[in-house]
Amino acid sequence: SLSFAQSGFDFFYFVQQWPGSYCDLKQACCYPTTGKPASDFSIHGLWPNYNDGSYPSNCAGSSYESALISDLKEELQAYWDTLACPSGDGEKFWSHEWEKHGTCSGLDERSYFESTLALRKSIDLLAALQSAGIEPDDGSYEVEDVQEALKQAIGHRPGLECNTNISGKRQLYQVYVCVDTDASTLIDCPIFPSTSCPSSVTFPSF
Ligand code: 5GP
Ligand code: 5GP
């Protein structure tokens, strides 16, 4: 298609992570140098993808330059914080995401980060879940109810990814929302990520 020819990919996955599920694992997380993040979903990345499920990565082009987005740093630290160890200020995570995924997005570095922040601000996953009575309270929830609450808010069914906590319980870890190649229009997912969740999941407190 024309959009394939122009952008080199078919759509984006906009991926948000639940911090409680990143941290509640055998390999613990490390809070960023700015302190414990909010109890809210945060950005993992904006990932170009093909309709067959494969994806481009590390496309030729510019390497990460922190100076290009230095005025966005506070917002990035609020919405795109890093939980990997050792503790960091976020630059390492952002540079990894830019180089692996952003360089394939057809956007320049600044537009890539601005577009991703705008998506995060327009999609409030936690509010959507809470309005359906789904709270990060270590309780158990039907994954159908999670899907439905998020679909109501987003207008499209999201992809879900679960991981396993130290006690062996499956928990909600990441939410994938599909976005058109313009990096702003939400769309039905052409294909869902190959991740999966069982019918009942926990939503850990953070
Ligand atoms: P994992 O193997 O932990 O699921 O994913 C590792 C990394 O591979 C992710 O952080 C992401 O960079 C990339 N990745 C995994 N699945 C997908 C996918 O479906 N689409 C894209 N674009 N990247 C993915
Ligand atoms: P991916 O390749 O899966 O897109 O990105 C994961 C990489 O980013 C890993 O190298 C991981 O250590 C690093 N990273 C840094 N901070 C975070 C974080 O808060 N969440 C995730 N999922 N990865 C992070």
Side-chain angles (χ1 to χ4, degrees), residues 71-87:
D71 58 317
L72 301 178
K73 190 162 180 170
E74 268 182 45
E75 278 198 309
L76 289 167
Q77 286 178 324
Y79 293 110
W80 201 335
D81 47 75
T82 181
L83 288 167
C85 296
S87 291

Side-chain angles (χ1 to χ4, degrees), residues 13 44 47-49 53 55-56 96-97 100-101 161 176 193-195:
Y13 283 132
H44 182 161
W47 304 345
N49 225 82
Y55 57 91
H96 169 85
E97 292 297 313
K100 182 170 182 178
H101 300 285
E161 178 175 1
Y176 294 64
S194 58
T195 56

Side-chain angles (χ1 to χ4, degrees), residues 18-31 83 137-139 162-173 202-206:
W18 179 251
S21 303
Y22 186 92
C23 291
D24 189 8
L25 300 168
K26 281 186 197 115
Q27 196 183 343
C29 69
C30 291
Y31 294 160
L83 288 167
D137 58 3
D138 300 307
C162 286
N163 66 10
T164 306
N165 75 7
I166 5 177
S167 337
K169 278 195 182 161
R170 300 281 287 162
Q171 55 190 4
L172 180 63
Y173 169 44
T202 63
F203 190 20
S205 57
F206 181 69

Side-chain angles (χ1 to χ4, degrees), residues 122-186:
S122 71
I123 301 175
D124 191 340
L125 298 178
L126 184 59
L129 293 174
Q130 288 179 321
S131 69
I134 300 169
E135 299 277 350
D137 58 3
D138 300 307
S140 203
Y141 294 97
E142 295 304 305
V143 85
E144 282 290 330
D145 296 340
V146 171
Q147 284 274 11
E148 194 50 39
L150 294 176
K151 190 186 165 188
Q152 289 297 323
I154 298 161
H156 306 273
R157 192 161 83 89
L160 300 181
E161 178 175 1
C162 286
N163 66 10
T164 306
N165 75 7
I166 5 177
S167 337
K169 278 195 182 161
R170 300 281 287 162
Q171 55 190 4
L172 180 63
Y173 169 44
Q174 297 201 119
V175 176
Y176 294 64
V177 174
C178 291
V179 182
D180 202 353
T181 52
D182 66 2
S184 66
T185 308
L186 308 188

